[in-house]
Each structure stands twice: as C-alpha cells, then as structure tokens.
Amino acid sequence: MRIGVFCSGGDAPGMNPCVRAVVRTAVGAGHEVVGILRGYEGILNEDFYINKEGRVPMTLRSVSDLSRMGGTILHSRRSDRFRTEEGQKTAAANLRKHGIDALIPIGGDGTFHGAVDLARHWDGQIVGCPGTIDNDLLGTDFTIGFATAVHTAVEAIDKLRDTAQSHERMFVVEVMGRHSGYIGLYTALAGGAEVACVPETVTDIKKIVEHLHVLKDRGKESVMMIVSEGVAVGGAELMNKNLIEAGCPFQTRVLTLGHLQRGGSPVPADRILATELGEFAVRSIIDGHTGVMAGRIYRDLGLTEFVRTYATHKPVPDELVRLLDTMAH
Ligand code: F6P
C-alpha cells in the first residue's frame, strides 16, 4: 500500500512522534509512506516530503529523533482552497495520480471535516489521528499535544506566581482552547489558580469580585485567574477591564500565553499517545477501516467515525470544576 501522512490545522506538540510511528509501523510492515507537506494544501500542490536520497518515500531514517521534537517536519496549514468542492475534486484527482491508497491526517476537527469532504470524491481509506492542543474531540480521552500545552501553561503560571507574590498582585492569564475549557481547567487546577473562567461554566464578574474580596480578607497575597480564549465575556483584557470596573481589590496584570502553548518538546504522555495512535492508525488501515479517528479511552484503543468526533461539544469533567472550586480558597 502507498499511505499518505500529513498534518493539518494548528500544530500540536506530538505531531512529529505520530509521523514517526506511522512511518516506522507502515515501512516495517512492507508498505510505502508518502509525507504530504502543508496539509490539504500540499495535496492540491502535489507537495511531498523528499528523503535524504532525494526521493519521495519516507524511510526509517526520515523520522529519526522525531520523538522529542516539537512542531511538525511536514509543516501544517489551513487551506481555503480545499474548502471548495472544486478543491476537493482536485485533491482526489491528485491522490489517484500519485497512486495513494490511504491517508492518515493528523489534526483536529477542521482536519476531520476535510477528511469527510474528501471521502465524497475519493475512495481511498482515511484513518485520522487526533492532533490538537485543544482536547476538544470526542472519541479519545486526550488529544496529542494537550498534555504538553498544559505543561507549558503551568510552567508559565508558576513563574508568574513568584512575581505576583512579590508585588501582591493578581494575574489574569489567557490560555488557548478555541471553544473548549480543557486547557483552562487543567492549567488552573495544576497551577493552583484561585479563579478559572472557561466556556463551559457561567462567568459572573460580580461574584468573582466578591470572591476576590473574601480571599483578600483571608490574607491572600496573590491571585492567579485563568481565562480560556473562548469565554463569552471575551478574552483576558476585557475580563480585566470588567474586574477593575466591578471593584477588584487586587492590582492586576494581564498576560496572553498564545502560541507559546503550541511549541516545545512534547512531554512523555504526548510522545506515548502519539506513538500508540500512529501505530494503531496504520494497523487500522491494514485491517480495512476508513472514515474514522484513532483514539484512546482509558487503556483501550478504538476507532470513532469522523463525524462523531466533532458533532457535539466535549464537556470538561464536572468533578474537576467542583475540585477547582474546593481548592480555590
Ligand atoms: O486549535 C488550536 C488553536 O491553537 C486554538 O487553541 C486557537 O484558537 C487556534 O488554534 C489559533 O489558531 P492560529 O494558529 O490560526 O492563530
């Protein structure tokens, strides 16, 4: 078989180890792997990874040392051209032209929407791997990149706490996650934040300010507030403005962590998840599956239809929201 692998959408730490697992598994089983550069845009442009011998197939050596590397050697893109039916038909024709039998896209909901669109025009197999820091896909407990993004955010929070404590200040820190509160909630819990505003819960500025007064009266010297980018009230800047207007008792500073959360060497949990899912995606293709995402739920690897991975919002765990409330004193 000739299997195409590519990364699409926002990059995530762990995409590289996932590509490595795909190549090592497929080549080890006697198949050929073509690395497609820049996501769906690369299929349209017939843009392929070239190995050290100047040829297209990825070799066992093409993926040496990728376990520890952030970003993706295949580059990632969002493609406007591929969103059109015309683009999807061209992509299908290019895949046929290059004799590609199966695809392994590594990405998030946009990537899997794309896979569903492509399958209307192309009859090859598609088995995806969940690569996004947002952890917003159903069909897997965690997505590749989430653990590293949280690790990076917590490291930042720990550092901010030092300066916050010195100056007896409050930091309002915005984390990524698009419409999901996963990064926000996990960062807040691990970083010992006193307040977290995530899209899944109601943000009541008046109540937050009352809580801050209680904390100040109890002798709290510094406060960390984590705000997910997707909260209805708006991002950290707007949140800070609203807090000040409502009588926030602490002097505040605002920080948006932004794309910092997408970089860096993947933490071991992401390396292992990426390796398991990359290998499982190849095995699933060999077993004849298509139209599905490889995921891990607790210890079990499983396949979920693409449409089901993004059909509904993946809620943050209620028990963790309660736990944060209990700790935030
Ligand atoms: O989906 C990953 C993500 O980092 C989101 O958390 C964020 O909303 C978005 O991508 C940012 O995208 P861009 O790279 O286009 O700025």
Side-chain angles (χ1 to χ4, degrees), residues 169-182:
R169 279 174 176 160
M170 167 167 163
F171 270 82
V172 184
V173 183
E174 183 177 313
V175 296
M176 277 187 166
R178 206 180 289 267
H179 307 298
S180 170
Y182 259 94

Side-chain angles (χ1 to χ4, degrees), residues 121-168:
H121 308 282
W122 182 63
D123 57 11
Q125 291 166 258
I126 316 180
V127 175
C129 289
T132 166
I133 63 166
D134 297 343
N135 199 30
D136 58 350
L137 292 167
L138 293 160
T140 191
D141 286 339
F142 296 107
T143 54
I144 298 162
F146 171 71
T148 307
V150 170
H151 179 83
T152 302
V154 171
E155 269 187 347
I157 301 301
D158 288 350
K159 288 186 174 134
L160 289 173
R161 179 69 84 170
D162 292 341
T163 171
Q165 190 70 14
S166 305
H167 287 266
E168 296 164 279

Side-chain angles (χ1 to χ4, degrees), residues 167-170 194 208-223 247-252 328-329:
H167 287 266
E168 296 164 279
R169 279 174 176 160
M170 167 167 163
E194 286 77 11
I208 293 172
V209 170
E210 277 168 17
H211 178 55
L212 292 172
H213 277 284
V214 172
L215 293 180
K216 182 124 191 154
D217 293 345
R218 279 195 203 132
K220 267 267 176 207
E221 292 177 335
S222 65
V223 170
C248 176
F250 290 92
Q251 187 192 48
T252 62
H329 293 282

Side-chain angles (χ1 to χ4, degrees), residues 274-292:
T275 306
E276 279 184 301
L277 297 185
E279 189 256 5
F280 183 50
V282 173
R283 275 200 290 123
S284 303
I285 281 175
I286 293 169
D287 290 347
H289 294 282
T290 189
V292 286

Side-chain angles (χ1 to χ4, degrees), residues 90-319:
T90 306
N94 286 349
L95 291 170
R96 282 191 283 270
K97 177 176 159 190
H98 290 279
I100 292 175
D101 304 295
L103 281 178
I104 300 185
I106 307 168
D109 60 339
T111 305
F112 298 155
H113 266 106
V116 170
D117 291 338
L118 179 63
R120 286 195 202 102
H121 308 282
W122 182 63
D123 57 11
Q125 291 166 258
I126 316 180
V127 175
C129 289
T132 166
I133 63 166
D134 297 343
N135 199 30
D136 58 350
L137 292 167
L138 293 160
T140 191
D141 286 339
F142 296 107
T143 54
I144 298 162
F146 171 71
T148 307
V150 170
H151 179 83
T152 302
V154 171
E155 269 187 347
I157 301 301
D158 288 350
K159 288 186 174 134
L160 289 173
R161 179 69 84 170
D162 292 341
T163 171
Q165 190 70 14
S166 305
H167 287 266
E168 296 164 279
R169 279 174 176 160
M170 167 167 163
F171 270 82
V172 184
V173 183
E174 183 177 313
V175 296
M176 277 187 166
R178 206 180 289 267
H179 307 298
S180 170
Y182 259 94
I183 297 178
L185 183 60
Y186 273 64
T187 301
L189 262 174
E194 286 77 11
V195 192
C197 299
V198 297
E200 290 84 354
T201 60
V202 178
T203 301
D204 183 334
I205 301 282
K206 200 167 155 263
K207 263 199 180 152
I208 293 172
V209 170
E210 277 168 17
H211 178 55
L212 292 172
H213 277 284
V214 172
L215 293 180
K216 182 124 191 154
D217 293 345
R218 279 195 203 132
K220 267 267 176 207
E221 292 177 335
S222 65
V223 170
M224 283 294 148
M225 176 175 184
I226 309 299
V227 180
S228 294
E229 63 174 334
V231 290
V233 181
E237 286 289 354
L238 200 56
M239 184 72 75
N240 183 46
K241 194 170 160 277
N242 290 338
L243 287 170
I244 292 168
E245 279 170 12
C248 176
F250 290 92
Q251 187 192 48
T252 62
R253 289 290 184 270
V254 180
L255 183 74
T256 299
L257 291 182
H259 293 80
L260 194 76
Q261 297 156 96
R262 295 230 300 252
S265 176
V267 297
D270 274 330
R271 297 183 196 193
I272 293 167
L273 182 65
T275 306
E276 279 184 301
L277 297 185
E279 189 256 5
F280 183 50
V282 173
R283 275 200 290 123
S284 303
I285 281 175
I286 293 169
D287 290 347
H289 294 282
T290 189
V292 286
M293 180 198 81
R296 173 151 59 71
I297 296 184
Y298 189 48
R299 283 304 315 155
D300 294 329
L301 297 177
L303 299 171
T304 304
E305 271 178 62
F306 284 133
V307 285
R308 290 190 45 230
T309 65
Y310 55 72
T312 50
H313 186 78
K314 177 177 175 177
V316 293
D318 284 343
E319 66 277 15

